[in-house]
Amino acid sequence: MTHLTRAAVAGLLTAAAVLTATTPADALRTRHGDWLRITVSRGEDRAGDARGALLRCDPPQGHPRAAEACAQLAAFDGDIGAFPAAKGAVCTMIYAPVTAEAHGRWHGRPVAYRQTFANRCEMRARTGAVFALDR
């Protein structure tokens, strides 16, 4: 192989490696069209104690209540803000704020949701299983 040919082959191999290098998160995003990074933080900002999960919906996984959360998201086309409040939910008036966040994609569209609720009960009454990260 000539010097020029070796350089061309090396260049092509480097380009191929760069084009095919993906992180595991990138691979999940391409394989699974519907996914949300879910976090629940104590308090009104991200400085509080936080829990999180990567909810994937094809098939439902990565979340303690994935099937139920995916079904709720499907019913409202991925719009968490459109969820109706749970009927009959009774929450205490104790102020212990939690912030719920979701970022990802639903049917190819970006999803960005962030809401602070007075307490966990209020969050669950408004968001169903999506932010129910407790087992």
Side-chain angles (χ1 to χ4, degrees), residues 69-85 106-107 109:
C70 291
Q72 289 172 328
L73 286 162
F76 292 91
D77 200 26
D79 185 0
I80 300 167
F83 287 15
W106 188 264
H107 296 296
R109 292 185 321 273

Side-chain angles (χ1 to χ4, degrees), residues 11-125:
L12 288 173
L13 290 175
T14 302
V18 169
L19 290 174
T20 60
T22 60
T23 65
D26 291 337
L28 287 174
R29 290 176 187 142
T30 12
R31 278 197 317 251
H32 302 285
D34 299 333
W35 64 272
L36 294 176
R37 167 59 65 192
I38 304 291
T39 57
V40 177
S41 307
R42 247 191 274 175
E44 296 181 26
D45 56 27
R46 292 183 184 111
D49 180 32
R51 295 189 69 171
L54 178 62
L55 171 63
R56 294 172 291 192
C57 291
D58 188 22
Q61 58 188 317
H63 182 288
R65 294 171 59 186
E68 187 178 353
C70 291
Q72 289 172 328
L73 286 162
F76 292 91
D77 200 26
D79 185 0
I80 300 167
F83 287 15
K87 292 183 183 192
V90 178
C91 296
T92 65
M93 298 288 288
I94 296 172
Y95 186 69
V98 292
T99 300
E101 293 186 73
H103 300 280
R105 298 199 68 74
W106 188 264
H107 296 296
R109 292 185 321 273
V111 172
Y113 175 88
R114 184 175 195 273
Q115 180 69 42
T116 299
F117 297 93
N119 55 48
R120 286 188 185 278
C121 177
E122 183 182 310
M123 177 187 69
R124 288 184 181 133

Side-chain angles (χ1 to χ4, degrees), residues 1-10:
M1 217 183 278
T2 68
H3 178 68
L4 182 58
T5 307
R6 285 187 193 144
V9 170

